[in-house]
């Protein structure tokens, strides 16, 4: 596609529910990042994929968060037993390759846990 | 680990020049980048500096001093549409290419 696509754009869920957020990166980009952004803050790193493998998941806050990228393109961020503190905008970004200088961001998924 | 500091807010008038500073602490360094984000929008890439000096791209320029762990974004001929948040991001800590972002600077341009 022309840019990074994220779906859904908005998600409202009840506390305790499971959610999946999808990211479709720019075709051919091997590096994919998930970030979380709260109001008035910068993007906070969650997890980085190089190809199909999670090269760095040190930013995942706890084991309720998990992400996959099975075929090296689309990625899904999965959050179990959601909590109100998980409410934020979840951003996905891709780069042409590891060590690239320009990250291309999607519009994000605004997650609200009620 | 790494940390970045930038002013929380900067105001200026249309047509003016404004400089947004960024200081960082990191255990390793590959480069400093800048992103612009309008309210409700996606961060968009502005510039990347790996070496010391000034990089110019149209009305925007970015400067880096690795010895001072310092950089800035310079915006000239400010326009109303430049009102946005600006983030610096550093990569290289622990040999990682993952960009770590600062908290952002809200630029408000007045007519």
């Amino acid at each position: 596609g022309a840019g990074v696509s994220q779906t859904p754009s908005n998600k409202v869920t009840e506390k305790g529910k499971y959610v999946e957020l999808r990211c479709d990166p720019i075709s051919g980009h091997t590096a994919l990042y998930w970030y979380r952004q709260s109001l008035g803050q910068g993007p906070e790193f969650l997890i980085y994929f190089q190809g199909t493998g999670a090269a760095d998941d040190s930013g995942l806050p706890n084991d309720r968060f998990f992400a996959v990228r099975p075929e090296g393109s689309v990625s899904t961020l999965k959050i179990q037993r959601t909590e109100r503190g998980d409410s934020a905008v979840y951003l996905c970004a891709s780069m042409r390759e590891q060590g690239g200088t320009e990250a291309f961001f999607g519009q994000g998924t605004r997650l609200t846990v009620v | 680990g790494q940390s970045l500091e930038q002013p929380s807010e900067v105001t200026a008038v249309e047509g003016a020049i404004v400089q947004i500073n960024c200081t960082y602490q990191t255990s390793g360094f590959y480069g400093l980048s800048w992103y612009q984000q309008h309210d409700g929008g996606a961060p968009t890439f502005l510039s990347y500096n790996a070496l010391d000096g000034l990089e110019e791209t149209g009305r925007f320029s970015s400067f880096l001093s690795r010895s001072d762990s310092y950089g800035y974004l310079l915006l000239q001929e400010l326009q109303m549409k430049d009102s946005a948040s600006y983030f610096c991001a550093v990569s290289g800590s622990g040999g990682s290419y993952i960009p770590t972002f600062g908290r952002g600077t809200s630029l408000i341009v007045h007519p």
Side-chain angles (χ1 to χ4, degrees):
Chain A
V4 178
S5 175
Q6 291 188 245
T7 54
S9 55
N10 279 284
K11 176 71 176 178
V12 179
T13 191
E14 291 181 347
K15 179 176 176 296
K17 298 290 189 184
Y18 167 83
V19 295
E20 289 190 351
L21 313 179
R22 176 188 167 107
C23 172
D24 201 339
I26 293 174
S27 178
H29 280 198
T30 62
L32 185 147
Y33 305 82
W34 283 98
Y35 287 86
R36 177 168 70 174
Q37 187 174 30
S38 300
L39 193 63
Q41 304 292 316
E44 173 194 8
F45 168 72
L46 295 176
I47 186 169
Y48 158 57
F49 287 89
Q50 181 56 39
T52 60
D56 188 329
D57 64 358
S58 62
L60 294 178
N62 51 60
D63 61 7
R64 295 186 298 105
F65 289 75
F66 188 71
V68 295
R69 195 186 184 197
E71 297 177 357
S73 56
V74 171
S75 176
T76 305
L77 178 66
K78 309 179 182 196
I79 311 174
Q80 298 178 323
R81 305 183 303 280
T82 51
E83 300 176 357
R84 293 199 177 87
D86 299 335
S87 297
V89 175
Y90 288 80
L91 294 166
C92 175
S94 69
M95 283 191 185
R96 197 182 312 275
E97 69 276 323
Q98 181 189 37
T101 58
E102 179 176 355
F104 296 83
F105 280 85
Q107 292 288 329
T109 294
R110 180 176 299 279
L111 176 67
T112 304
V113 182
V114 297
Chain B
Q2 54 222 321
S3 66
L4 299 97
E5 286 196 22
Q6 47 182 134
S8 59
E9 185 176 296
V10 173
T11 60
V13 296
E14 237 180 333
I17 299 172
V18 72
Q19 179 174 312
I20 300 174
N21 298 319
C22 174
T23 57
Y24 58 87
Q25 291 185 330
T26 179
S27 57
F29 182 82
Y30 289 141
L32 183 73
S33 49
W34 289 91
Y35 287 78
Q36 178 192 61
Q37 185 179 34
H38 287 97
D39 278 350
T44 56
F45 174 82
L46 293 176
S47 67
Y48 179 85
N49 295 66
L51 302 176
D52 291 350
L54 190 68
E55 297 274 347
E56 298 182 62
T57 310
R59 295 188 297 116
F60 293 2
S61 303
S62 58
F63 172 82
L64 174 67
S65 168
R66 288 174 296 171
S67 61
D68 294 323
S69 297
Y70 164 75
Y72 65 72
L73 180 70
L74 190 73
L75 298 86
Q76 303 181 76
E77 300 171 19
L78 280 174
Q79 302 175 9
M80 297 295 290
K81 68 178 182 179
D82 297 329
S83 293
S85 292
Y86 292 84
F87 297 92
C88 59
V90 67
S91 62
S93 178
S96 168
Y97 288 100
I98 300 167
T100 296
F101 286 79
R103 296 181 63 166
T105 298
S106 176
L107 172 63
I108 302 169
V109 180
H110 295 288

